[in-house]
């Protein structure tokens, strides 16, 4: 039974203005710009998707390119037929497009994976024996957790970019200089949106004989990223953060560790030759190219979607996209600053540069209750929880590291204190109206309270099906 009166559980399309309407101001149209959703208070409203940091909506350009290719879909690298040959060319041309988008060096490899998480687990699987890995506790779990078979040093959360560099310098200076070492760092925080000093961290790593991998999941949708200019060894990112939600990711960078390690997955496509031995076993000759770690039938649609998004963002121009996004960031920050009960989370301080990602808590509100009210009463989709960055959010909230809390699964009832926060995020497809509505909704919820009753169901705060339209905050 729906909590929304006279509405089905499925969103309907119709009345919201498209994001490429000049009045909306969004430079790149995305799917979902004409979707409306029901409100618990009655009626419908155009859905305001402000959860780009989790999964950005698909660019219309990406969708159109994929739809145009779909009738020609075929097997990759394995067929003599026309569609197979066309799909193979599309797949490999997409690899070249991504390499150009990232400014890859001539000897770099671009390996297609499932996601940032998959990319970093792939890198973790190919690091040499005895590799020392240095990672800040502020990382997303995708870059915090994969290094289980390495000697890992977790670095404390820095409070300034300069402190981040100094912390890494000290840690690297005390390492065993004889063995391999790897530094893993984010480009932009998925919690605060703050930019990290990647170039300086790369210089520190290389000065001490270490390599560095950049988790660019939250950076590539917002900024031009050049692997050579930043002087990082690898870059990892996900298609679904880059307006290409078809299940592909990228690991791009130096080829030697990738070439020297056993394949990430063993199977067809990774092998060049397989032969039986006299003793009954098999001998395998593995590829030395990116195919070594791309076993199985490639996700050509997902890869092509990433390439399409790379082209669309490049053609739109990151300077213009970033300038417009920073205006939205400034509007959100100014609006939240007008509400004394709101605390914006920051690691490096209020003036730190950031992409279109902000997290905050509201005094007197369970964050999940607040997020649920934004959705149910205003048609605004945001994120609540610990954002798969538990140590960082706990640091920012000043909580004990042992306090319970699950990513996106609050344990407290509405009105009770819970270890979670609210995240709003946006990008090139966000209309101005969505940001204005969000700022207004925050102000009204804090000043007037929620207009509906809420309860916890299966770990989520949801509108009460039988709740009267009364304040519940």
């Amino acid at each position: 039974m729906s909590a929304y009166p006279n509405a089905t559980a499925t969103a309907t399309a119709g009345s919201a203005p498209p994001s490429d309407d000049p009045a909306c101001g969004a430079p790149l149209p995305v799917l979902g710009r004409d979707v409306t959703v029901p409100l618990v208070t009655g009626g419908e409203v155009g859905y305001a998707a402000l959860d780009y940091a989790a999964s950005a909506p698909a660019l219309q350009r990406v969708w159109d390119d994929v739809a145009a290719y779909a009738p020609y879909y075929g097997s990759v690298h394995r067929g003599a037929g026309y569609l197979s040959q066309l799909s193979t060319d599309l797949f490999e041309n997409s690899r070249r497009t991504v390499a150009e988008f990232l400014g890859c060096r001539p000897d770099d490899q671009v390996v297609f994976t499932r996601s940032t998480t998959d990319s970093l687990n792939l890198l973790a699987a190919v690091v040499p024996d005895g590799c020392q890995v240095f990672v800040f506790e502020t990382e997303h779990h995708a870059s915090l957790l994969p290094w289980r078979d390495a000697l890992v040093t977790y670095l404390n959360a820095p409070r300034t970019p300069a402190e981040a560099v100094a912390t890494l310098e000290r840690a690297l200076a005390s390492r065993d200089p004889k063995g391999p070492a790897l530094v893993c760092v984010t480009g932009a925080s998925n919690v605060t949106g703050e930019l990290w000093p990647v170039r300086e961290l790369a210089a520190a790593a290389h000065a001490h004989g270490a390599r560095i991998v950049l988790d660019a999941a939250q950076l590539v949708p917002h900024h031009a990223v050049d692997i050579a200019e930043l002087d990082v060894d690898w870059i990892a990112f996900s298609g679904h953060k880059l307006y290409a939600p078809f299940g592909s990711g990228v690991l791009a960078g130096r080829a030697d560790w990738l070439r020297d390690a056993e394949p990430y997955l063993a199977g067809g496509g990774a092998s060049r030759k397989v032969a039986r031995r006299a003793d009954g076993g098999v001998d395998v000759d593995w590829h030395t190219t990116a195919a070594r770690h791309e076993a199985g039938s490639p996700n050509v649609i997902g890869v092509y979607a990433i390439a399409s998004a790379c082209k669309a963002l490049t053609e739109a121009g990151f300077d213009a996209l970033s300038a417009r996004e920073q205006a939205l960031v400034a509007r959100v920050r100014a609006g939240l600053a007008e509400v004394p009960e709101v605390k914006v989370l920051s690691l490096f301080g209020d003036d730190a540069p950031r992409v279109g990602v902000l997290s905050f808590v509201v005094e007197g509100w369970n964050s999940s209750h607040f997020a649920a009210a934004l959705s149910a009463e205003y048609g605004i989709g945001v994120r609540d929880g610990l954002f798969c960055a538990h140590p960082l959010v706990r640091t920012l909230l000043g909580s004990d590291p042992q306090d319970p809390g699950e990513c996106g699964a609050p344990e407290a009832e509405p009105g009770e204190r819970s270890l979670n926060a609210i995240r709003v995020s946006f990008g090139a497809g966000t209309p101005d109206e969505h940001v204005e509505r969000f700022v207004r909704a925050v102000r009204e919820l804090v000043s007037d309270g929620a207009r509906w009753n809420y309860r916890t169901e299966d770990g989520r705060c949801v509108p009460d099906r039988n709740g009267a339209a009364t304040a519940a905050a």
Side-chain angles (χ1 to χ4, degrees):
M1 177 179 176
S2 173
Y4 301 89
N6 304 316
T8 64
T10 303
T12 57
S15 61
S19 66
D20 51 344
D21 187 311
C24 292
L28 290 175
V30 295
L31 293 184
R33 60 189 183 273
D34 56 352
V35 166
T36 62
V37 294
L39 303 179
V40 291
T41 51
E44 293 184 342
V45 68
Y47 183 62
L50 295 178
D51 193 15
Y52 277 47
S55 285
L59 287 179
Q60 185 69 55
R61 157 79 173 271
V62 169
W63 190 262
D64 292 344
D65 283 349
V66 166
Y69 161 67
Y72 302 93
Y73 172 79
S75 63
V76 175
H77 297 148
R78 291 171 176 79
Y82 178 81
L83 298 191
S84 178
Q85 293 295 305
L86 186 149
S87 295
T88 298
D89 286 346
L90 191 77
F91 186 79
E92 293 303 332
N93 283 333
S94 295
R95 197 189 305 275
R96 285 186 282 272
T97 297
V98 172
E100 292 173 3
F101 179 75
L102 296 175
C104 287
R105 298 154 297 218
D107 295 334
D108 285 339
Q109 285 187 354
V110 173
V111 180
F112 289 117
T113 65
R114 295 178 298 173
S115 60
T116 308
T117 301
D118 196 33
S119 294
L120 292 169
N121 275 271
L122 163 57
L123 187 59
V126 305
V127 296
D129 291 341
C131 186
Q132 298 173 273
V133 176
F134 297 84
V135 56
F136 286 94
E137 66 175 350
T138 47
E139 292 291 308
H140 185 280
H141 294 171
S143 46
L144 186 73
L145 302 181
W147 320 104
R148 288 168 291 183
D149 295 329
L151 177 61
V152 186
T153 298
Y154 295 104
L155 306 175
N156 292 335
R159 284 300 185 168
T160 66
E163 185 182 342
V165 177
T167 298
L168 180 61
E169 289 269 13
R170 288 193 299 271
L172 291 172
S174 63
R175 80 175 187 93
D176 181 356
K178 296 180 181 179
L182 176 68
V183 176
C184 181
V185 67
T186 190
S189 171
N190 78 303
V191 177
T192 68
E194 292 166 313
L195 298 174
W196 277 63
V198 177
R199 189 177 293 102
E200 292 82 356
L201 292 167
H206 293 152
H208 291 275
R211 300 188 183 189
I212 184 168
V213 57
L214 172 63
D215 175 352
Q218 300 296 340
L219 189 62
V220 290
H222 305 278
H223 278 275
V225 175
D226 189 298
I227 192 170
E229 181 184 349
L230 292 173
D231 197 24
V232 295
D233 298 280
W234 293 278
I235 287 178
F237 72 90
S238 296
H240 73 101
K241 311 287 189 189
L242 195 71
Y243 309 97
F246 293 95
S248 277
V250 169
L251 177 67
R254 295 181 60 159
D256 53 351
W257 284 6
L258 294 166
R259 185 179 55 242
D260 295 342
E262 288 294 303
Y264 181 47
L265 296 173
S271 56
R272 288 192 299 192
K273 179 181 177 182
V274 180
R276 288 292 301 272
R277 295 195 306 262
D279 63 4
V282 294
D283 288 321
V284 184
D285 183 15
W286 302 106
H287 280 293
T288 58
T289 63
R292 185 182 188 88
H293 299 291
E294 293 176 343
S297 297
N299 179 2
V300 60
I301 292 226
V303 165
Y304 182 44
I306 289 178
S308 173
C310 290
K311 289 181 179 179
L313 291 168
T314 300
E315 291 167 7
F318 272 107
D319 288 345
L321 294 176
S322 180
R324 192 252 176 179
E325 182 180 301
Q326 288 308 304
L328 296 182
V329 170
R331 178 67 189 98
V332 171
R333 293 185 66 183
L336 295 181
E338 295 172 354
V339 185
E341 293 84 355
V342 171
K343 176 188 176 183
V344 175
L345 305 182
S346 176
L347 195 62
F348 296 153
D350 291 341
D351 296 330
R354 70 179 75 204
V355 298
V357 179
L358 298 94
S359 295
F360 62 98
V361 292
V362 183
E363 182 181 346
W365 284 79
N366 173 312
S367 292
S368 295
H369 183 199
F370 200 88
L374 286 173
S375 175
E377 300 179 28
Y378 294 90
I380 298 171
V382 296
R383 195 79 159 186
D384 67 276
L386 298 178
F387 319 124
C388 294
H390 294 192
L392 171 57
V393 179
R394 286 176 171 135
T395 294
L396 296 173
L397 294 179
S399 66
D400 187 282
Q402 302 305 314
D403 283 352
E406 297 180 22
C407 185
E411 70 285 346
E413 295 289 336
E416 294 181 3
R417 183 184 182 278
S418 178
L419 183 61
N420 58 352
I422 308 151
R423 184 181 70 193
V424 57
S425 54
F426 40 85
T430 303
D432 297 345
E433 186 274 332
H434 289 183
V435 168
E436 293 298 333
R437 193 195 319 170
F438 167 76
V439 170
R440 173 173 56 84
V442 171
R443 184 168 54 245
E444 290 180 0
L445 284 173
V446 172
S447 63
D448 303 334
R451 291 172 287 174
W452 204 260
N453 288 324
Y454 296 82
R455 62 191 178 84
T456 298
E457 181 177 287
D458 297 328
R460 295 295 307 165
C461 188
V462 298
D464 194 320
R465 295 186 182 94
N466 302 312
T470 57

